[in-house]
Amino acid sequence: MPSLSDLPGPAPMPVVGWWGNVVRFFGDPIGYMAPLAAEYGPLVRFARGREGPVLIREATYGPVLGFSPACAQTVWGQSGTYHITRVPGPRYDPSFQRITAGLFSMNDDRHRKHRRLIQPAFHKTRIEGYHGAMVSLTRRAVEGWRAGQVHDLSGEMTPLTLSVANKALFGLDPTPGVLSLGEGIQGVAELLITPAALVPVDLPYTPRRRLIERCAQMEKDLRAIIAHKRTEPPGDDVLATLLATRDEDGGFLTDDELIGQLFVLFFAGHDTTRSAIAWTLFLLSQHPQTQNDLQGELTSVLGGDALRLEDLPRLPLLDRVVKESLRLFTPAPFTARITVVPTTLEGVDLQVGTEVILSPYCLHRLPDLYPEPQRFRPSRWEKLDPTPFEYAPFGAGARMCIGAGFATMELKVVLSLLVQRFSFELAPGAVIDRKTTIVLSPKHGMPLRLRPPGAAVQTGMVRGNVREMVDLPS
């Protein structure tokens, strides 16, 4: 049976060798992976020659890159064989340890126990209870917007999604102090994925020291919120639900465990939605017929009002637009696992300690699954019914994002309000490049001009490497 060394893959970079490939990957993961998927097929070596960790520092072998539904089903479907690990950082720091000990870094029985305890907070009825807050906060965020203005729909959605996350997670209304809490969580998350913060130099003013200080402050803030929440009558926010939840054995989440869960739920619950809103409006700006058709559907069903949950079955185009946007601009374009037992993947032997990187971004562009994969075609979803391992914007299997339903509802609520009020046109001179850390975002923001609903919008003005990701008018 073939082994990892038998797999095809790119050569090491000239002069700098294997480390040059690592630098290229971190500089632009999509730009590194997408050509490999096209050239070599479903299973690829990260680079020929040297092996070692790229995303998981405990890895000994690999990485191997998987781009097929079969790879996704094996890796995501065998969570006992393919483990996830914490983000790298100062493991000696107790605040860092607690902040990064959330659901997304747990495995096996511990993961199953914590997911069972968290799941009630994201039950369908609970998610529906957040609908009113999403509507009111969206209206407040855009009440001063007027046709003719240019807004950065990536940057300006950040306060909105932070406010929604604060309200849903903690029951807190948006105030400067509350928004700074969300901004603090965002700051810690960004440092966690900043290469300079991974350098083990803990001196004043270094990124590593800033990470340690921010983790300590974040833990202090979260503990204060938890303590205050215990003094309040029971509420319907996520934290209140977590404090009240017990498993079948009477187990519950300790304060230390809540710290890690709240941190990761907050980050995952706002940043992916912010990015998805920006990319969806960009796609609509470049496809004015779809934008007009969606405005027509929303106006005929909602009449200018906010989306109600009972309206969703009557909004098929909205659903297709969201699905197609998440296909093209998958919020988390790659994910990594490490093998903890010897196994095989696509007929290739993998030893213990092999790093495996999956790419939903590349999976969503397989032409056999998605004809004309680079085109924005919401109509494809009229008949398309992929398996969970063929279409996975929020992952799949036992580790599928627990907040997927929450994020999808927020995305539809926000879009339904914005698209009824305005048509969106890309601002002249805009450069739309990608930035991929954990979440796929527009690197320079998303400057869009507001037009009256149904107004003619100009297309074909796009510059930047977004043109490598989707076919656009010339």
Side-chain angles (χ1 to χ4, degrees):
M1 188 171 289
S3 66
L4 185 61
S5 60
D6 298 314
L7 283 174
M13 296 285 292
V15 183
V16 291
W18 188 85
W19 286 108
N21 297 66
V22 175
V23 171
R24 280 188 58 204
F25 176 85
F26 276 102
D28 183 8
I30 288 174
Y32 189 83
M33 293 186 298
L36 300 186
E39 181 174 356
Y40 296 110
L43 203 61
V44 184
R45 292 181 72 181
F46 181 82
R48 299 195 300 272
R50 175 175 176 167
E51 296 179 337
V54 172
L55 294 170
I56 297 179
R57 68 180 181 183
E58 294 88 353
T60 304
Y61 305 101
V64 57
L65 308 178
F67 301 124
S68 71
C71 288
Q73 184 164 3
T74 300
V75 175
W76 283 333
Q78 298 180 18
S79 57
T81 299
Y82 297 89
H83 274 194
I84 196 168
T85 67
R86 292 189 190 183
V87 295
R91 300 290 173 88
Y92 56 85
D93 181 68
S95 289
F96 174 85
Q97 288 279 359
R98 287 186 280 269
I99 286 288
T100 58
L103 191 65
F104 293 171
S105 64
M106 295 178 173
N107 296 287
D108 299 331
D109 289 343
R110 191 157 184 253
H111 175 264
R112 286 188 285 271
K113 174 186 176 181
H114 279 246
R115 191 173 178 104
R116 283 197 304 270
L117 287 166
I118 296 171
Q119 191 68 60
F122 291 93
H123 187 273
K124 182 175 182 292
T125 55
R126 288 285 184 182
I127 293 174
E128 291 173 351
Y130 307 136
H131 168 266
M134 293 177 182
V135 171
S136 61
L137 291 170
T138 302
R139 283 175 167 160
R140 184 185 307 182
V142 303
E143 62 185 358
W145 290 13
R146 300 290 182 269
Q149 296 174 340
V150 173
H151 289 268
D152 173 10
L153 266 296
S154 179
E156 294 193 38
M157 287 295 100
T158 299
L160 170 59
T161 56
L162 285 175
S163 296
V164 171
N166 273 310
K167 186 66 174 178
L169 281 175
F170 308 129
L172 299 174
D173 292 315
T175 64
V178 167
L179 288 178
S180 67
L181 168 69
E183 291 163 354
I185 290 177
Q186 178 76 8
V188 171
E190 289 177 354
L191 276 172
L192 288 174
I193 52 178
T194 299
L198 306 182
V199 178
V201 178
D202 180 11
L203 295 173
Y205 308 112
T206 62
R208 176 63 67 98
R209 178 63 61 85
R210 289 202 306 274
L211 175 61
I212 292 171
E213 291 171 348
R214 290 188 182 184
C215 283
Q217 183 62 50
M218 186 50 51
E219 179 181 7
K220 179 181 177 181
D221 292 343
L222 289 173
R223 286 191 185 279
I225 290 174
I226 294 169
H228 178 71
K229 182 64 68 173
R230 291 187 190 279
T231 68
E232 294 185 328
D236 58 2
D237 54 87
V238 170
L239 177 54
T241 304
L242 295 182
L243 289 172
T245 299
R246 300 291 184 270
D247 63 19
E248 62 273 13
D249 300 320
F252 58 91
L253 296 176
T254 67
D255 284 11
D256 282 0
E257 291 170 335
L258 284 168
I259 294 294
Q261 303 300 359
L262 291 171
F263 175 82
V264 73
L265 288 173
F266 190 102
F267 176 75
H270 104 84
D271 205 39
T272 55
T273 309
R274 171 199 60 79
S275 178
I277 292 168
W279 287 121
T280 305
L281 292 174
F282 166 75
L283 287 169
L284 291 174
S285 78
Q286 296 303 299
H287 298 83
Q289 186 59 57
T290 302
Q291 182 167 212
N292 290 340
D293 291 345
L294 181 57
Q295 284 173 340
E297 176 183 89
L298 292 169
T299 302
S300 67
V301 173
L302 305 180
D305 291 336
L307 180 151
R308 301 175 295 270
L309 298 174
E310 58 268 27
D311 296 321
L312 287 172
R314 300 162 60 204
L315 298 169
L317 182 55
L318 175 63
D319 185 63
R320 294 170 195 151
V321 164
V322 167
K323 285 179 177 176
E324 184 72 342
S325 175
L326 292 176
R327 181 186 73 83
L328 285 166
F329 295 96
T330 310
F334 64 88
T335 183
R337 300 288 189 270
I338 186 171
T339 57
V340 293
V341 296
T343 189
T344 62
L345 181 63
E346 290 272 327
V348 175
D349 281 332
L350 301 183
Q351 301 183 62
V352 174
T354 300
E355 184 176 12
V356 179
I357 299 175
L358 296 181
S359 175
Y361 174 91
C362 295
L363 178 68
H364 292 166
R365 282 167 165 74
L366 295 176
D368 290 345
L369 295 175
Y370 304 99
E372 298 181 293
Q374 299 288 102
R375 287 190 59 193
F376 175 65
R377 284 178 45 202
S379 61
R380 75 174 77 238
W381 294 96
E382 294 173 10
K383 297 180 179 179
L384 191 63
D385 186 23
T387 71
F389 301 103
E390 294 171 337
Y391 178 70
F394 298 102
R399 305 195 67 95
M400 180 179 176
C401 176
I402 201 167
F406 178 92
T408 302
M409 186 175 79
E410 183 180 359
L411 181 54
K412 289 182 177 180
V413 167
V414 174
L415 287 173
S416 67
L417 287 166
L418 294 184
V419 174
Q420 284 189 94
R421 291 188 64 177
F422 303 106
S423 290
F424 294 88
E425 177 183 86
L426 190 67
V431 177
I432 308 300
D433 287 324
R434 59 181 172 260
K435 178 179 72 173
T436 312
T437 49
I438 294 176
V439 175
L440 172 60
S441 300
K443 184 175 183 179
H444 312 293
M446 187 62 71
L448 296 173
R449 189 181 303 279
L450 310 180
R451 297 293 193 193
V457 299
Q458 296 185 33
T459 61
M461 302 181 292
V462 186
R463 296 183 295 147
N465 62 22
V466 70
R467 287 190 171 275
E468 301 171 4
M469 306 168 71
V470 59
D471 290 338
L472 297 171
S474 353

